[in-house]
Amino acid sequence: MKLIIAAIKPFKLEDVREALTTIGVRGLMVSDIKGFGAQSGHSEIYRGAEYEVNFVPKVKLEIVVPDELADQVVETIANTARTDKIGDGKIFVLDVETAVRVRTGETNEDAL
Amino acid sequence: MKLIIAAIKPFKLEDVREALTTIGVRGLMVSDIKGFGAQSGHSEIYRGAEYEVNFVPKVKLEIVVPDELADQVVETIANTARTDKIGDGKIFVLDVETAVRVRTGETNEDAL
Amino acid sequence: MKLIIAAIKPFKLEDVREALTTIGVRGLMVSDIKGFGAQSGHSEIYRGAEYEVNFVPKVKLEIVVPDELADQVVETIANTARTDKIGDGKIFVLDVETAVRVRTGETNEDAL
Amino acid sequence: MRLLKILPAATAVALLPTLGLAQDADVTPTNGEIGYILNTFMFIVTGILVFWMAAGFAMLEAGLVRSKNVTMQLTKNMALFGLAAILYYAIGYNLMYPGDGWTINGILGAFSPTSVEPVGLAGVETDLTYASVGSDFFFQLMFAAATASIVSGALAERIKLWPFLVFVLVLVGLIYPIQASWKWGGGFLNEMGFLDFAGSTVVHSVGGWAALTGAIILGPRIGKYNKAGKTVPIPGSNLTLATLGTFILWMGWFGFNGGSQLYMDTAANVADISRILVNTNTAAAGGAIAALILTQLLYKKPDLTMVLNGALAGLVSITAEPLTPSLGAATLIGAVGGVLVVFAIPLLDRFKIDDVVGAIPVHLFAGIWGTLAVVITNPDASLIVQVKSIVVVGVFVVLASTAVWLLLKAIVGLRVSEEAEINGLDMSELGMDAYPEFHKG
Amino acid sequence: MRLLKILPAATAVALLPTLGLAQDADVTPTNGEIGYILNTFMFIVTGILVFWMAAGFAMLEAGLVRSKNVTMQLTKNMALFGLAAILYYAIGYNLMYPGDGWTINGILGAFSPTSVEPVGLAGVETDLTYASVGSDFFFQLMFAAATASIVSGALAERIKLWPFLVFVLVLVGLIYPIQASWKWGGGFLNEMGFLDFAGSTVVHSVGGWAALTGAIILGPRIGKYNKAGKTVPIPGSNLTLATLGTFILWMGWFGFNGGSQLYMDTAANVADISRILVNTNTAAAGGAIAALILTQLLYKKPDLTMVLNGALAGLVSITAEPLTPSLGAATLIGAVGGVLVVFAIPLLDRFKIDDVVGAIPVHLFAGIWGTLAVVITNPDASLIVQVKSIVVVGVFVVLASTAVWLLLKAIVGLRVSEEAEINGLDMSELGMDAYPEFHKG
Amino acid sequence: MRLLKILPAATAVALLPTLGLAQDADVTPTNGEIGYILNTFMFIVTGILVFWMAAGFAMLEAGLVRSKNVTMQLTKNMALFGLAAILYYAIGYNLMYPGDGWTINGILGAFSPTSVEPVGLAGVETDLTYASVGSDFFFQLMFAAATASIVSGALAERIKLWPFLVFVLVLVGLIYPIQASWKWGGGFLNEMGFLDFAGSTVVHSVGGWAALTGAIILGPRIGKYNKAGKTVPIPGSNLTLATLGTFILWMGWFGFNGGSQLYMDTAANVADISRILVNTNTAAAGGAIAALILTQLLYKKPDLTMVLNGALAGLVSITAEPLTPSLGAATLIGAVGGVLVVFAIPLLDRFKIDDVVGAIPVHLFAGIWGTLAVVITNPDASLIVQVKSIVVVGVFVVLASTAVWLLLKAIVGLRVSEEAEINGLDMSELGMDAYPEFHKG
Ligand SMILES: Nc1ncnc2c1ncn2[C@@H]1O[C@H](COP(=O)(O)OP(=O)(O)O)[C@@H](O)[C@H]1O
Ligand SMILES: Nc1ncnc2c1ncn2[C@@H]1O[C@H](COP(=O)(O)OP(=O)(O)O)[C@@H](O)[C@H]1O
Ligand SMILES: Nc1ncnc2c1ncn2[C@@H]1O[C@H](COP(=O)(O)OP(=O)(O)O)[C@@H](O)[C@H]1O
């Protein structure tokens, strides 16, 4: 199984979730993160003092899927989250050794 | 070493933490996440308009442990977090190459 | 490529980010977490009742870098985040199989 | 003038400009001044209460928008009050109360800035039967500002700051005072026999009409209605603030309706004010409870945001006639208002009119209902006249607002860019997050 | 009636219903009416301040519950005020102030809805020595609502909405007014010589007793006491709101105690009101500072939530007799109240009585203390009578509330399901999160 | 005294202590008492409004500090008000208003605790030309507390609780009342002809000077200025609360300035009060709008926090003379205040003076401006005298505060440890998070 980690723009979350369910993803974890990257670094003024905004709000997805589904998931996220503007985000794939469903104790593919 | 990622029901956090310490886990990272899965999808009404609640609040644990402790940790989480109700959560195990304790510079097992 | 996960003290975030950019890190993900570890466990009183504070606020960094940069990143974080006080945090290194930049579709090293 | 207090009484009195000194040097105040003092102080107290409503609107709206638009909403509320204060002084007040200085008799008032009594009423013949111009202006000013506050809520989360503020200038400087002069200035609607005690039509429906035209011209927020045309709820970010705002408005309304009695110089007047207060309070209660029960029945779960809107609708409903109803009648009039909003909110959504805080159901629909309801308890009211007046005011405000909105749209544009709206107006327009440390998602 | 202001004075006066016109047409008001106007306006102002306390309770409670139960707490506070307003009008007021219309002399008042003076006092012989019934009803109504607010805080985070609201109906419609009639309605406790100026016993202890019985019958929140029986603190979600609520209550208390002087028609009365206000203020200060210092000494760190409770306890302590104490005595009476809560809160926990906001220590314990403290500064007070009255009221309220709680428990159940409580009442009972965007954990 | 209301009128009157009974038994109040009643009630109402400002400062400051220091800021605000109430009673009031009991004539007042009129004015010869001592004390007390509130904001996020509270004791017990006696107590500044109607200098600049010396001695917050010496903004955690606080202060200011007329016993006085209110309101509007436009021009984006400071600066600017200006002049005087803060805030940063909430620009700079501006509209004012008085008060407060700050620094230390400051004062000093459930970063 693979763990797919993706940082995307927050307003794309709903579209991505929908797109993923249509290709058979049945679960995922979402967290709000502060992203640092090429998009960062514009400056704002607060009470007359200028400062750099280094972090932009992003949403992080973590999805564990069977190996054979991994590429499709990556593609789907890439296509749905793209706005062609800087800051669209990144997708990373890691290997997962075991998966367990707490409720049933099922393991690996059956747990997803 | 292994990284154990678990998504569980928030109110189970304290029990799980206690159970893990008793089996020798000396540290972990906790984040609040929005979970999507089989449990999701009931509908609510706000100002007369119905909508689907796709995400349910969950807590994510990330724990790095020596290989030999991994199975026991997974088991402990699975047993403690279980309520036999849908949405109990998932546990994933990944391989970790290196670990470092910032304060001392100790590495790997000694760092945990 | 490697995924470097680090839990550090929140007020060190800015220093670490700066240090990392100087050695060529061009992006990272930051999340607020509750940390449990050796530092935890002092007690407070609320409305006359004593209780243990098991979790301390920490910041989690997740950074994907080319293999050759990994060690330097770990070192840099370790040196910058260190205060020599308990609770300085931990750094973990995992292997990453694939990376994709959503905006361009570039993959792996080019995506970072 | 602090020093006075430590002077012997005699000197103190001597130092005080006392109109009555002529008649009887030894009594302060003279009988002739007492009524004037009571009327004026009544306006001061009730005017301060109506001022407080500005904070109520700000909290209600800040609580019902998403956190990414809160700083903008707060900025609009602060700015609109400031501008309203200045415009109503510069133009509004005399346009609304021309006395006999009408530009067009009964239709268009006088154009001149406001000036209040000289210090110590020095060298002026004061009409002691009413209250000081200063206190009346203070009280009236707050009504003008309230009208503008109504608009800001409905158009939240997408309208640009400056075009909105320009609209406020026109609303408070021209639209509001002109139509208000028709009734309260003694204009043609008043001649017709139109009755609107504290402004269900003159204040609330006016804000409501301006909000309605604005909401239509502006269009709904991105994502409020999905492709399928279904309404996608956009929950408010902080219901505690929304509730606080509602309590503040409720409190302020005692000044709004009570002060509209205008006189507190007789037992009858003060008894009327107390009657107005109990009716105002029970109408709000009626509206809140009606919404509570109705949402429980319709949706199986009470909806707090509807209960808040219900309380406000109850208040708007009783505003046209808070004096003549009995406590029971007032409760029912308010309850009908509460029922109205519960049905009106989804109805507006059906027409894709996106009213962020429910300002249109609360101020326009309940305002119309309240204006009609006058005939139920006040024998002097005529249904035809009430309807006519509602229509006249409605048509005028809709035409005027539409003109201003379209003009602004054509010249500078009303709406922020799609990206700005998606990222939130706080960061994109103001570069300032209302809750920078808190994690949102 | 706005129009009036632009008519020539003469007409204006003519239009005004003036009782005094007969006597002397040229002066408004007539001497005979001045006292009535002042008394009535005093009730209007202080009544509005007591109304404001409803917002204070709402903010205090919203701040001291967990974020997952905030919408529910706000809904309860809005709903209870609405219901109290209606019930007190329908039954409460005349049951509490039967005049000479007692059903059972000195024990059970009259059953009839409230009606206030006709518009313009038309066609009624008005007693000009007191104030308008409307203003008195307005003022008294707010006290009844306050009693209910006290209960909602103690039972937060676990009681179902509707059973709670049914209890409120009984409390405000029957329990509160019946026992209040014994003292303030001129009933047997009053005959006995019981002294309770603004209601340490009649209002606060009544809310406190109802809260206590409710808390015991309901049982503690899940997880408040662990298997080992140790108390597990459940921190409030927003101390800023809790502090705001405390400031609001402090402000409202000036109306609560000040208005209870009932008359402002003489120099002596108004001087007494000012004396009451400074005593009320200093008692609150005494309570807050006592709690500040005591928590510093006991726990090495001051506890803000205890300081807030301390200020409120100071206010409750002085409520039974805010007039006779000197400033120094008032400060001490309040300080003792502050000390009381600091010790009482952990004490209640020892008995596993889970009072979410500290309502029982603040309103019941400090209420009893305040009622006893009357004898310290008021020579007319008798300790025995004070004790007797506390007991009589306590027994009555405990029995009555227990009956209602048990009945509700038997018929519909009082408590939400364990799962609902764990997930929070907001989502499970109302499907609405008070802070939907903010991340909590 | 509730019972009274159900007695027949006759008895009721009989029971009431009425000074006037001698003259004419059948009228309550007697003519002689009316002015006294009106003056006293005016102080009661305005005093309550000024009390409310304590909540305004608390919300403003809680909103402008980081979430990790909110509990501490709330604790300081609650505690300082409590201490101020007690100290001003124990020492402050008679030190400020010695009447003819000066210790050093015109320079140092009397040392004795405050005592107000006996209950029912029993057995005292009351001067009916002013108001009750109780009401005057109530009103003045709130001013003393406001002075202390000003300091707490500027020194937030780094000063220890207890040393700060000790400073408050000295400020409210000695520094404030001594210098205030020079003007309002009838001391030498008053003899000199210094004019400061409601306290731009006597109240606001005093708080400002104390804040300035404190901020300099204390030093800036860690990280406020980076190695490069550049200012690093530290955004406030909750701008909604900051806005609420500003609205509360604005409301309270109507009491602050209006009540400073001191008399409401003639048509002239009440008309003046209303004139003061409209000027106060328009000055705040001028300040807010000036800051809005100026920040738009300077930074291309309006800065809400500056708009809030601007409104407050407008209020401070008009406080020295809210009576004589015309509406137009008042608007401009306020606007200048708004402009001042926009430039002063970055200026202070240039000098590395870290003022968390902008208290120094708002209360000190605008306070000085307002004091000078008196000469523009008040012919009785002399520029030299105004300047002299500003300097005298400034020198005294700076010297006295510096002494106290340095003493405290030497003995107990003023500042929390670096670690405590970094982790936040809430957890490190109080062990209590204001928003424990919400995720921050
Ligand atoms: N090397 C990295 N490791 C982890 N996360 C990254 C990395 N680079 C970028 N990100 C995440 O992706 C987000 C978008 O990247 P950014 O460089 O801003 O734009 P783009 O994706 O268009 O190149 C960043 O905000 C950050 O959260
Ligand atoms: N494939 C997955 N990858 C990552 N997280 C998952 C996945 N499936 C489920 N989860 C997490 O586990 C939680 C519980 O899963 P769910 O399907 O709702 O119930 P159950 O665990 O009983 O099957 C989800 O809320 C989500 O956070
Ligand atoms: N085994 C672990 N797995 C994951 N995170 C850990 C682990 N041990 C510690 N951490 C994280 O590192 C932080 C610091 O560790 P701690 O033991 O408190 O101090 P130190 O790093 O000085 O040993 C913890 O708060 C936790 O977030």
mmCIF file of all heavy atoms in Angstrom, chain D residues 355-371:
data_model
loop_
_atom_site.group_PDB
_atom_site.id
_atom_site.type_symbol
_atom_site.label_atom_id
_atom_site.label_comp_id
_atom_site.label_asym_id
_atom_site.label_seq_id
_atom_site.Cartn_x
_atom_site.Cartn_y
_atom_site.Cartn_z
ATOM 1 N N ASP D 355 -28.463 36.477 1.165
ATOM 2 C CA ASP D 355 -28.484 37.449 2.254
ATOM 3 C C ASP D 355 -27.744 36.818 3.432
ATOM 4 O O ASP D 355 -28.286 35.977 4.144
ATOM 5 C CB ASP D 355 -29.937 37.752 2.614
ATOM 6 C CG ASP D 355 -30.071 38.662 3.827
ATOM 7 O OD1 ASP D 355 -29.044 38.988 4.452
ATOM 8 O OD2 ASP D 355 -31.221 39.020 4.150
ATOM 9 N N VAL D 356 -26.507 37.259 3.651
ATOM 10 C CA VAL D 356 -25.608 36.573 4.583
ATOM 11 C C VAL D 356 -26.172 36.457 5.997
ATOM 12 O O VAL D 356 -26.039 35.435 6.648
ATOM 13 C CB VAL D 356 -24.227 37.266 4.607
ATOM 14 C CG1 VAL D 356 -23.298 36.604 5.611
ATOM 15 C CG2 VAL D 356 -23.621 37.247 3.208
ATOM 16 N N VAL D 357 -26.808 37.502 6.488
ATOM 17 C CA VAL D 357 -27.236 37.495 7.886
ATOM 18 C C VAL D 357 -28.756 37.451 8.087
ATOM 19 O O VAL D 357 -29.241 37.506 9.214
ATOM 20 C CB VAL D 357 -26.689 38.741 8.632
ATOM 21 C CG1 VAL D 357 -25.172 38.802 8.540
ATOM 22 C CG2 VAL D 357 -27.328 40.008 8.067
ATOM 23 N N GLY D 358 -29.497 37.368 6.990
ATOM 24 C CA GLY D 358 -30.959 37.367 7.120
ATOM 25 C C GLY D 358 -31.548 38.751 7.299
ATOM 26 O O GLY D 358 -32.641 38.919 7.844
ATOM 27 N N ALA D 359 -30.842 39.759 6.817
ATOM 28 C CA ALA D 359 -31.292 41.139 6.997
ATOM 29 C C ALA D 359 -32.596 41.418 6.253
ATOM 30 O O ALA D 359 -33.448 42.171 6.737
ATOM 31 C CB ALA D 359 -30.207 42.108 6.526
ATOM 32 N N ILE D 360 -32.755 40.814 5.096
ATOM 33 C CA ILE D 360 -33.948 41.094 4.289
ATOM 34 C C ILE D 360 -35.217 40.525 4.940
ATOM 35 O O ILE D 360 -36.181 41.264 5.156
ATOM 36 C CB ILE D 360 -33.745 40.593 2.836
ATOM 37 C CG1 ILE D 360 -32.587 41.367 2.186
ATOM 38 C CG2 ILE D 360 -35.011 40.740 2.029
ATOM 39 C CD1 ILE D 360 -32.020 40.714 0.938
ATOM 40 N N PRO D 361 -35.219 39.248 5.323
ATOM 41 C CA PRO D 361 -36.405 38.755 6.048
ATOM 42 C C PRO D 361 -36.677 39.554 7.318
ATOM 43 O O PRO D 361 -37.810 39.939 7.587
ATOM 44 C CB PRO D 361 -36.023 37.308 6.376
ATOM 45 C CG PRO D 361 -35.017 36.926 5.347
ATOM 46 C CD PRO D 361 -34.262 38.179 5.029
ATOM 47 N N VAL D 362 -35.626 39.820 8.074
ATOM 48 C CA VAL D 362 -35.812 40.474 9.377
ATOM 49 C C VAL D 362 -36.282 41.915 9.221
ATOM 50 O O VAL D 362 -37.271 42.328 9.836
ATOM 51 C CB VAL D 362 -34.500 40.441 10.194
ATOM 52 C CG1 VAL D 362 -34.569 41.396 11.386
ATOM 53 C CG2 VAL D 362 -34.213 39.019 10.661
ATOM 54 N N HIS D 363 -35.608 42.687 8.394
ATOM 55 C CA HIS D 363 -35.913 44.118 8.347
ATOM 56 C C HIS D 363 -36.952 44.487 7.291
ATOM 57 O O HIS D 363 -37.780 45.356 7.512
ATOM 58 C CB HIS D 363 -34.618 44.920 8.159
ATOM 59 C CG HIS D 363 -33.649 44.738 9.284
ATOM 60 N ND1 HIS D 363 -33.728 45.444 10.458
ATOM 61 C CD2 HIS D 363 -32.603 43.886 9.431
ATOM 62 C CE1 HIS D 363 -32.758 45.059 11.274
ATOM 63 N NE2 HIS D 363 -32.055 44.112 10.680
ATOM 64 N N LEU D 364 -36.923 43.811 6.149
ATOM 65 C CA LEU D 364 -37.882 44.165 5.104
ATOM 66 C C LEU D 364 -39.221 43.452 5.310
ATOM 67 O O LEU D 364 -40.260 44.090 5.486
ATOM 68 C CB LEU D 364 -37.317 43.831 3.722
ATOM 69 C CG LEU D 364 -38.245 44.124 2.545
ATOM 70 C CD1 LEU D 364 -38.708 45.572 2.554
ATOM 71 C CD2 LEU D 364 -37.561 43.781 1.227
ATOM 72 N N PHE D 365 -39.183 42.111 5.332
ATOM 73 C CA PHE D 365 -40.447 41.361 5.432
ATOM 74 C C PHE D 365 -41.150 41.657 6.758
ATOM 75 O O PHE D 365 -42.333 42.011 6.786
ATOM 76 C CB PHE D 365 -40.190 39.869 5.275
ATOM 77 C CG PHE D 365 -39.647 39.490 3.926
ATOM 78 C CD1 PHE D 365 -39.392 40.439 2.938
ATOM 79 C CD2 PHE D 365 -39.370 38.169 3.615
ATOM 80 C CE1 PHE D 365 -38.886 40.079 1.697
ATOM 81 C CE2 PHE D 365 -38.862 37.797 2.371
ATOM 82 C CZ PHE D 365 -38.618 38.755 1.421
ATOM 83 N N ALA D 366 -40.416 41.534 7.857
ATOM 84 C CA ALA D 366 -41.048 41.812 9.154
ATOM 85 C C ALA D 366 -41.414 43.290 9.258
ATOM 86 O O ALA D 366 -42.393 43.654 9.916
ATOM 87 C CB ALA D 366 -40.121 41.409 10.289
ATOM 88 N N GLY D 367 -40.653 44.141 8.563
ATOM 89 C CA GLY D 367 -40.980 45.569 8.578
ATOM 90 C C GLY D 367 -42.306 45.839 7.901
ATOM 91 O O GLY D 367 -43.130 46.633 8.391
ATOM 92 N N ILE D 368 -42.525 45.174 6.784
ATOM 93 C CA ILE D 368 -43.806 45.331 6.077
ATOM 94 C C ILE D 368 -44.942 44.783 6.946
ATOM 95 O O ILE D 368 -45.958 45.447 7.168
ATOM 96 C CB ILE D 368 -43.763 44.598 4.715
ATOM 97 C CG1 ILE D 368 -42.791 45.321 3.772
ATOM 98 C CG2 ILE D 368 -45.151 44.495 4.122
ATOM 99 C CD1 ILE D 368 -42.518 44.578 2.479
ATOM 100 N N TRP D 369 -44.715 43.599 7.478
ATOM 101 C CA TRP D 369 -45.739 43.001 8.347
ATOM 102 C C TRP D 369 -46.080 43.935 9.506
ATOM 103 O O TRP D 369 -47.254 44.200 9.788
ATOM 104 C CB TRP D 369 -45.240 41.650 8.863
ATOM 105 C CG TRP D 369 -45.831 41.248 10.186
ATOM 106 C CD1 TRP D 369 -45.165 41.047 11.358
ATOM 107 C CD2 TRP D 369 -47.224 41.025 10.497
ATOM 108 N NE1 TRP D 369 -46.021 40.722 12.373
ATOM 109 C CE2 TRP D 369 -47.298 40.690 11.876
ATOM 110 C CE3 TRP D 369 -48.409 41.098 9.756
ATOM 111 C CZ2 TRP D 369 -48.497 40.420 12.524
ATOM 112 C CZ3 TRP D 369 -49.610 40.822 10.412
ATOM 113 C CH2 TRP D 369 -49.643 40.485 11.770
ATOM 114 N N GLY D 370 -45.046 44.460 10.139
ATOM 115 C CA GLY D 370 -45.290 45.337 11.277
ATOM 116 C C GLY D 370 -46.072 46.576 10.893
ATOM 117 O O GLY D 370 -46.965 47.042 11.630
ATOM 118 N N THR D 371 -45.787 47.098 9.714
ATOM 119 C CA THR D 371 -46.476 48.302 9.261
ATOM 120 C C THR D 371 -47.952 48.012 9.001
ATOM 121 O O THR D 371 -48.833 48.823 9.315
ATOM 122 C CB THR D 371 -45.808 48.834 7.978
ATOM 123 O OG1 THR D 371 -44.404 48.947 8.200
ATOM 124 C CG2 THR D 371 -46.372 50.183 7.586
#
